[in-house]
Amino acid sequence: MVILKLICTLIGAIIIVFVVGANAGNQCDVDLVFYHFENVPVATTAIVAFAIGALFTIPFAFFEKEQKRKEFMNRFKQRQEAIRKRQAEEAARIKARQDLAQEKAEEKAARLQEKHEAAEKAALEKAAKQQAKEDAKKAKEEAKLLKKNLKSVETEPVVENSSDE
């Protein structure tokens, strides 16, 4: 961009030199409202007119830059707000996914807890049944022993003590 400006400046200077050289012998009268100048070179008149025009365009150039800067800042703010909005929406989606994952994890933990409790209950019931079987077996054996002892007592003759006579 700087090179382009340099080239344009050089071309402008070359054009001014040609205009001045071509009109070096030409003269004109310049009449301002209160003053009258005679025999003024045409090149001087052109350069002064150009300088006055440039002075009058300077405020417009700065105003245009200020206007462009304001438009740029407005667009920049709008883009920043759009980015913040997208980020907030993305954060909300991520939060919703996290909440859903948390709920699923809690449900899975509850199901596992229920399965664990059911397995523990089943193990306790199985142990209780096993204990009950063992107790029944022992009771059966004791009952057999008692029957056996009872039979042996019934079959034994009763001996009476004759020491009382």
Side-chain angles (χ1 to χ4, degrees):
M1 193 70 175
V2 175
I3 295 174
L4 182 64
K5 287 182 181 180
L6 179 64
I7 292 171
C8 289
T9 304
L10 290 175
I11 291 173
I14 292 169
I15 291 173
I16 289 174
V17 168
F18 280 125
V19 169
V20 170
N23 293 311
N26 295 337
Q27 296 180 348
C28 65
D29 292 339
V30 177
D31 187 23
L32 298 176
V33 176
F34 299 109
Y35 297 107
H36 180 74
F37 298 103
E38 292 182 8
N39 298 327
V40 177
V42 172
T44 305
T45 306
I47 290 171
V48 170
F50 176 75
I52 291 172
L55 286 174
F56 277 107
T57 59
I58 288 174
F60 294 106
F62 285 122
F63 178 73
E64 183 177 324
K65 286 182 181 178
E66 181 67 24
Q67 190 70 17
K68 285 182 180 179
R69 189 185 68 77
K70 285 181 181 178
E71 289 175 7
F72 174 78
M73 290 304 292
N74 285 338
R75 281 182 283 163
F76 180 76
K77 287 177 183 177
Q78 288 173 349
R79 288 178 187 152
Q80 290 295 326
E81 190 171 321
I83 289 169
R84 281 191 210 107
K85 185 178 178 182
R86 282 194 302 264
Q87 288 173 342
E89 290 172 354
E90 184 65 24
R93 282 193 296 270
I94 290 171
K95 177 75 171 133
R97 283 188 222 133
Q98 288 174 342
D99 290 345
L100 183 62
Q102 181 69 25
E103 287 176 12
K104 286 182 179 181
E106 288 173 358
E107 289 174 2
K108 187 174 182 178
R111 284 194 308 269
L112 288 174
Q113 181 67 25
E114 289 173 3
K115 284 181 181 179
H116 177 70
E117 289 173 358
E120 193 174 278
K121 186 177 177 182
L124 287 174
E125 288 176 357
K126 186 176 180 181
K129 285 181 182 179
Q130 185 69 26
Q131 187 65 37
K133 283 182 181 180
E134 289 175 9
D135 289 346
K137 201 179 215 184
K138 285 181 184 177
K140 207 175 199 182
E141 288 174 8
E142 287 177 5
K144 281 183 183 178
L145 283 174
L146 285 174
K147 278 185 185 179
K148 199 178 198 185
N149 286 340
L150 187 60
K151 282 185 183 177
S152 66
V153 169
E154 288 176 359
T155 56
E156 287 182 12
V158 179
V159 178
E160 290 189 22
N161 246 346
S162 45
S163 55
D164 282 339
E165 298 175 5

